[in-house]
Amino acid sequence: MIQSVKVKNLSLSKDNVRKRNRDVGIDEMAASIVAQGLLQNLIVTPLKKAGHFTVKAGGRRLRALQRLIEQEKLPADHAVPVLVLADDASGVGASLTENAQRVPMNPADECEAFKFLIDKMGMTVEEVAIQQVVTPRFVEQRVRLADLAPCVFDALAAGEITLGVAQAYAVTADTDRQARVFAQMQNAYYGNQPDNIRRAILNGMVKANDAKARFVGRDAYVAAGGRIEGDLFATEGDENWIDVDLLEDLAGKKIETAAAELA
């Protein structure tokens, strides 16, 4: 439902998914509002205090309006149109969709928002994908990135590493391994290259198309307790076999069995 609410009765929600780069372009947006008015309503949910709302989407517009009121370019009781939503899931989803369509979000904010919708709001990967008009695999990739080792995720949030570098660390869900490689790469030549990071992360693992893996077979490897991680950032279906010692043992036993049968 669209209604008119005074700016002074609006506050920025803690759930607003844009947590970084919030002040980028605020002066330009304020100037645009002065020249053309507010062209799009804010999206809010009601607070316990009657007549007060928290802004889920449109935080930059809210700050621009507040700045104009502080500068006395708008009256203190200036009101704006808002769309009132009923629940937090709708609010976070709207915030994520809107921010993705405007000034590019920090990838860390986007990842945290996808994870929030799934972990806190109980949405499925498929539901989030439909809401955000992306593929389920894209959602899974963002959630994997949200679960990066803290040192890697913080570097992504601070803009110290690129999204491609973060994806290279995320080829494994083992955060201890991510952290170790991240520490090694800090002083390494070309340590910020995704291919180098991916090789370091996967060192000691075997690809599913490796000759030995094909010889043993996936079913036999898994039945023996072998662990497999899918690479969400490579070709769909690409897998990394973690327990190399087990694979070696299974291959040796299969060769011995075959030799005995031939003898």
Side-chain angles (χ1 to χ4, degrees):
M1 178 179 67
I2 297 286
Q3 65 184 74
S4 182
V5 176
K6 293 179 180 179
V7 173
K8 64 183 180 181
N9 291 343
L10 298 173
S11 58
L12 183 62
S13 170
K14 293 180 180 179
D15 292 336
N16 188 284
V17 301
R18 186 187 293 275
K19 297 180 175 62
R20 303 160 182 96
N21 303 327
R22 283 180 166 181
D23 292 327
V24 174
I26 294 298
D27 289 332
E28 291 80 0
M29 179 168 287
S32 174
I33 292 173
V34 169
Q36 305 178 51
L38 186 65
L39 299 180
Q40 187 173 7
N41 60 269
L42 309 180
I43 299 176
V44 306
T45 55
L47 294 172
K48 291 181 180 179
K49 187 175 181 180
H52 286 69
F53 301 84
T54 181
V55 176
K56 298 290 186 176
R60 295 174 67 248
R61 272 166 282 157
L62 174 62
R63 285 190 292 279
L65 289 163
Q66 291 170 333
R67 184 168 298 182
L68 290 171
I69 291 173
E70 290 172 0
Q71 296 171 348
E72 298 184 350
K73 294 180 179 178
L74 289 176
D77 61 350
H78 184 73
V80 294
V82 301
L83 172 63
V84 182
L85 299 180
D87 59 74
D88 286 339
S90 297
V92 172
S95 176
L96 177 57
T97 300
E98 181 172 278
N99 277 294
Q101 293 172 348
R102 286 174 171 76
V103 174
M105 293 177 64
N106 183 296
D109 288 343
E110 186 179 46
C111 296
E112 288 175 334
F114 277 108
K115 186 172 175 62
F116 175 88
L117 291 174
I118 292 173
D119 291 353
K120 302 299 184 183
M121 304 312 301
M123 296 177 69
T124 66
V125 168
E126 289 73 20
E127 288 170 342
V128 174
I130 291 171
Q131 183 193 71
Q132 298 304 315
V133 198
V134 295
T135 65
R137 187 173 176 82
F138 182 88
V139 177
E140 292 170 345
Q141 289 173 341
R142 289 301 188 259
V143 173
R144 171 69 70 85
L145 290 174
D147 289 329
L148 281 166
C151 59
V152 182
F153 189 81
D154 290 345
L156 175 65
E160 296 169 0
I161 62 174
T162 65
L163 180 61
V165 168
Q167 290 173 341
Y169 281 106
V171 296
T172 177
D174 186 341
T175 54
D176 289 336
R177 191 181 187 95
Q178 293 170 4
R180 287 197 302 272
V181 173
F182 182 77
Q184 294 168 4
M185 289 295 176
Q186 295 311 292
N187 298 315
Y189 190 59
Y190 289 135
N192 62 345
Q193 298 298 313
D195 287 344
N196 293 342
I197 293 167
R198 191 171 284 106
R199 278 193 292 270
I201 287 284
L202 297 178
N203 184 35
M205 298 184 190
V206 170
K207 287 288 185 181
N209 60 0
D210 179 85
K212 196 168 293 184
R214 289 187 283 109
F215 175 66
V216 170
R218 191 181 195 279
D219 292 342
Y221 172 75
V222 172
R227 295 170 296 165
I228 293 176
E229 281 190 343
D231 187 347
L232 288 173
F233 302 96
T235 305
E236 193 162 0
D238 196 5
E239 295 180 334
N240 302 310
W241 293 20
I242 299 173
D243 300 298
V244 179
D245 289 342
L246 174 62
L247 179 62
E248 296 278 359
D249 183 58
L250 292 173
K253 289 178 178 177
K254 189 169 183 179
I255 289 173
E256 290 175 1
T257 301
E261 292 174 353
L262 287 172

